[in-house]
C-alpha cells in the first residue's frame, strides 16, 4: 500500500509565464473550469519530477482537482514510497502544473 499524501496546491488564478515565455492570465472562471473538467477516465495525470517530455516515470497520480478560493488543489494517489519520503524531507520545494 502506498503512503498517504495530503492534497496540495498546484496552481492559482493570476498571471503566469508559460515554458515558451508567453504571459497568460487565468481568471477564477478559468481555474474553476480546469478543476471541474479534470477527468481521470480521459487522462490520469502523473506526478513527475520536472516536466519530462514523456511524463514518466510517474511517482504517483492525481485522482482529482478541487478549487479552494483561487487555488487549484490536487488529490494525490498511489504514491511511490521513496518519492513520498523525499517530499516529506523537503527535497522538492516547488510544484508546477503542466497543461
Amino acid at each position: 500500500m502506498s503512503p498517504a499524501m495530503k492534497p496540495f496546491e498546484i496552481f492559482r488564478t493570476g498571471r503566469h509565464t508559460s515554458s515558451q515565455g508567453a504571459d497568460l492570465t487565468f481568471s477564477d472562471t478559468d481555474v474553476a473550469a480546469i478543476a471541474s473538467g479534470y477527468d481521470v477516465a480521459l487522462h490520469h495525470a502523473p506526478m513527475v519530477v520536472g516536466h519530462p517530455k514523456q511524463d514518466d516515470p510517474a511517482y504517483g497520480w492525481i485522482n482529482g482537482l478541487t478549487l479552494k478560493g483561487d487555488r487549484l488543489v490536487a488529490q494525490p494517489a498511489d504514491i511511490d514510497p521513496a518519492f513520498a519520503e523525499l517530499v516529506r524531507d523537503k527535497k522538492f520545494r516547488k510544484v508546477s502544473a503542466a497543461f
Side-chain angles (χ1 to χ4, degrees), residues 51-56:
H51 285 290
K53 290 181 180 180
Q54 301 299 319
D55 285 339
D56 59 15

Side-chain angles (χ1 to χ4, degrees), residues 39-82:
D39 183 348
V40 297
L42 297 176
H43 177 70
H44 204 184
M47 293 174 59
V48 299
V49 176
H51 285 290
K53 290 181 180 180
Q54 301 299 319
D55 285 339
D56 59 15
Y59 295 99
W61 300 91
I62 301 302
N63 267 359
L65 297 174
T66 56
L67 191 60
K68 300 232 175 168
D70 65 349
R71 320 266 171 162
L72 190 61
V73 177
Q75 288 76 44
D78 301 323
I79 308 300
D80 178 281

